[in-house]
Amino acid sequence: MENALGFQTTIDFYGCNTDKINSTEFIEDIMKTAAKKMNLTVVKSTVHSFSPIGVSGVLVIEESHLAIHTWPEFNYVALDFFTCNKAYELDEGIKWLKEMFEAEKMELSLEKRGNIKRAMAFKK
Amino acid sequence: MENALGFQTTIDFYGCNTDKINSTEFIEDIMKTAAKKMNLTVVKSTVHSFSPIGVSGVLVIEESHLAIHTWPEFNYVALDFFTCNKAYELDEGIKWLKEMFEAEKMELSLEKRGNIKRAMAFKK
């Protein structure tokens, strides 16, 4: 049994295509396609365009959430992927996102959330 | 000048009140109130109830996002707060959330996202 309730994967994409990552249509489309590639079930999606530049997109998925925030002026995208139950097979989805953003560099980190033993110690 | 584009704060709340954290109304209400207490501007909110138990709530805010996922069966809440520009004054909001959840234990971590020097090195 895994010792965590949730898994939080954060990815930093550097050197991305300015125009693409400033487009709400592009961000919404690739979030949904990435979710499909990773076999995630989308519950709700919301995308917001910032003034003067930048996009925020969040998918609520049955498995938790996928959030993207873009800084077109820095060619940078922050992706945040939170899932419950297990670490998903993210490799294909992430590789595809890197290509879509035209990112030159990518940094990934994985954090376990919600220690099960600790949760049981505080269970009511 | 800060060397990061974004700040990601993750908080684990243990020993929370089962009924409260299984209520979509409660989660939506406290997310919005917490945002107000932290002077955040809510753009969109979405809350989803899971079967048979658990709630996911996401606020898209002008400053990025606030996400909450609850595991009532473990009395556990995972909170994820992503902001751009600067680390917000979270203390009051977090203390208030801990009280609202009736949490017995809280663990917080802060991660800087998007290294500005790295972004400039890959700027197009």
Side-chain angles (χ1 to χ4, degrees):
Chain A
M1 188 183 183
E2 280 285 357
N3 62 354
L5 293 169
F7 296 87
Q8 190 149 20
T9 307
T10 58
I11 312 174
D12 294 321
F13 295 97
Y14 293 97
C16 302
N17 181 300
T18 312
D19 295 334
K20 282 187 171 179
I21 67 169
N22 198 35
S23 159
T24 50
E25 294 74 21
F26 174 78
I27 296 298
E28 183 157 29
D29 185 49
I30 61 152
M31 280 204 307
K32 288 182 176 173
T33 309
K36 207 170 181 178
K37 282 182 184 286
M38 293 190 275
N39 295 316
L40 304 169
T41 309
V42 177
V43 175
K44 287 177 187 168
S45 79
T46 177
V47 182
H48 178 66
S49 178
F50 290 96
S51 174
I53 198 165
V55 176
S56 272
V58 179
L59 289 187
V60 176
I61 52 179
E62 281 291 348
E63 298 78 10
S64 289
H65 80 254
L66 174 69
I68 289 179
H69 302 290
T70 79
W71 280 256
E73 70 278 33
F74 285 99
N75 302 96
Y76 169 74
V77 173
L79 186 144
D80 173 28
F81 182 49
F82 191 101
T83 60
C84 50
N85 297 329
K86 61 171 187 147
Y88 281 81
E89 294 302 326
L90 303 177
D91 292 358
E92 196 199 344
I94 289 169
K95 193 180 159 194
W96 179 80
L97 282 167
K98 184 172 184 282
E99 282 172 20
M100 290 300 104
F101 292 141
E102 299 177 19
E104 289 179 30
K105 188 175 171 64
M106 183 175 88
E107 289 177 351
L108 185 148
S109 81
L110 175 64
E111 190 192 353
K112 289 186 181 181
R113 297 290 303 277
N115 183 288
I116 291 180
K117 275 191 185 168
R118 197 158 305 141
M120 293 309 287
F122 288 99
K123 194 157 163 46
K124 283 172 179 169
Chain B
M1 186 185 184
E2 280 286 357
N3 62 354
L5 293 169
F7 297 88
Q8 190 149 19
T9 307
T10 58
I11 311 174
D12 294 319
F13 295 97
Y14 294 97
C16 302
N17 181 300
T18 311
D19 294 335
K20 282 187 171 179
I21 68 170
N22 197 35
S23 159
T24 50
E25 294 73 22
F26 174 79
I27 296 299
E28 183 158 29
D29 185 49
I30 61 151
M31 282 204 307
K32 288 182 176 172
T33 308
K36 207 169 182 180
K37 282 182 183 285
M38 294 190 275
N39 293 315
L40 304 170
T41 310
V42 177
V43 175
K44 285 176 189 170
S45 78
T46 177
V47 182
H48 178 65
S49 178
F50 290 97
S51 173
I53 198 164
V55 176
S56 272
V58 180
L59 289 187
V60 176
I61 51 178
E62 281 292 346
E63 300 78 10
S64 288
H65 80 254
L66 175 68
I68 288 179
H69 302 290
T70 78
W71 279 256
E73 70 278 34
F74 285 98
N75 302 94
Y76 169 74
V77 173
L79 186 144
D80 173 28
F81 183 48
F82 191 102
T83 61
C84 50
N85 297 330
K86 61 170 188 147
Y88 281 80
E89 294 303 326
L90 303 177
D91 292 357
E92 196 200 343
I94 289 168
K95 193 182 159 193
W96 179 81
L97 282 167
K98 185 173 183 282
E99 282 171 22
M100 290 299 105
F101 292 141
E102 300 176 18
E104 289 179 29
K105 187 176 172 63
M106 182 177 90
E107 290 178 349
L108 185 147
S109 82
L110 174 65
E111 190 191 355
K112 289 186 181 180
R113 296 291 302 275
N115 183 289
I116 290 179
K117 276 191 184 168
R118 195 159 305 140
M120 294 309 286
F122 288 100
K123 193 158 162 48
K124 283 173 176 170

